[in-house]
Amino acid sequence: MLIPSDVARAVRRTTTTFVLNWIDARQRAMDLDPLEFLIVHTIAAANLQHLPASRRADLNDPEAGDERHPVSIEGVAAALNVSSETVRRRLKALVARGLVERMGPLEDDDGERSGLSAGLAINLKALESPAMRRSLGLELSQLWRLLLSLESLGVIRINRQHIANMAA
């Protein structure tokens, strides 16, 4: 399906606005500067990268939280193309604030070390703060506005009955 260029431009503008508003809301909720924001999200992505997409979706799932794989400072630095020392300096503050935690070597079901070395992980308790809950509410309303905008442009069709059934 080809989308006329004016509609394509409107879709790009609408989705870019959504993404920028989402980043802004999350940075404010977590009181992060842009680099700290990128570090936190890089760690979160790396922690759950090994899980199937269906399990990654819910960080509040206790099993997904227990299966977080730690990531090294060097891994975060390489992913963001910044020096390890820059990441190390920022992590001191993130760990002190409780957003990131250091994990020891992981053990398998038999209590043996799994071979995964110690590293960094998102502190799941930090995601339960009142500020994060407010941020998630704002993000949900922004997502709904995005979907309505895309529907008005004729790009998607919203099945409101299905949404109503999910909410019930």
Side-chain angles (χ1 to χ4, degrees):
M1 173 177 106
L2 280 174
I3 299 175
S5 63
D6 56 333
V7 173
R9 255 190 318 279
V11 167
R12 282 193 299 272
R13 185 173 45 253
T14 301
T15 54
T16 299
T17 299
F18 170 76
V19 169
L20 292 174
N21 285 337
W22 176 81
I23 291 170
D24 181 63
R26 187 55 59 94
Q27 278 184 254
R28 288 175 191 267
M30 298 176 82
D31 192 28
L32 301 172
D33 70 29
L35 181 56
E36 291 169 336
F37 174 81
L38 290 172
I39 290 170
V40 166
H41 281 274
T42 300
I43 292 170
N47 289 166
L48 302 178
Q49 183 176 354
H50 66 285
L51 295 175
S54 61
R55 297 271 317 285
R56 274 186 247 148
D58 189 6
L59 274 173
N60 292 324
D61 172 1
E63 290 180 21
D66 290 344
E67 293 181 30
R68 292 173 295 158
H69 281 192
V71 62
S72 68
I73 290 172
E74 292 76 19
V76 174
L80 296 175
N81 198 26
V82 297
S83 73
S84 295
E85 187 53 37
T86 297
V87 173
R88 190 178 333 293
R89 278 193 312 270
R90 297 301 181 103
L91 279 170
K92 284 181 185 179
L94 295 171
V95 169
R97 289 171 47 200
L99 294 172
V100 175
E101 59 187 353
R102 296 188 187 278
M103 293 179 71
L106 298 181
E107 297 177 355
D108 62 20
D109 293 336
D110 299 327
E112 300 291 322
R113 288 193 174 179
S114 67
L116 293 170
S117 61
L120 306 162
I122 292 302
N123 182 347
L124 297 180
K125 288 185 181 13
L127 300 178
E128 298 171 0
S129 72
M132 279 302 295
R133 291 191 186 278
R134 283 191 303 276
S135 174
L136 292 172
L138 176 61
E139 291 166 23
L140 185 58
S141 68
Q142 290 172 345
L143 176 60
W144 186 244
R145 280 197 302 273
L146 170 66
L147 294 174
L148 291 173
S149 294
L150 294 175
E151 184 181 51
S152 71
L153 292 168
V155 177
I156 65 170
R157 185 180 57 80
I158 299 172
N159 183 338
R160 286 170 173 74
Q161 183 60 46
H162 181 72
I163 293 172
N165 291 341
M166 288 180 3

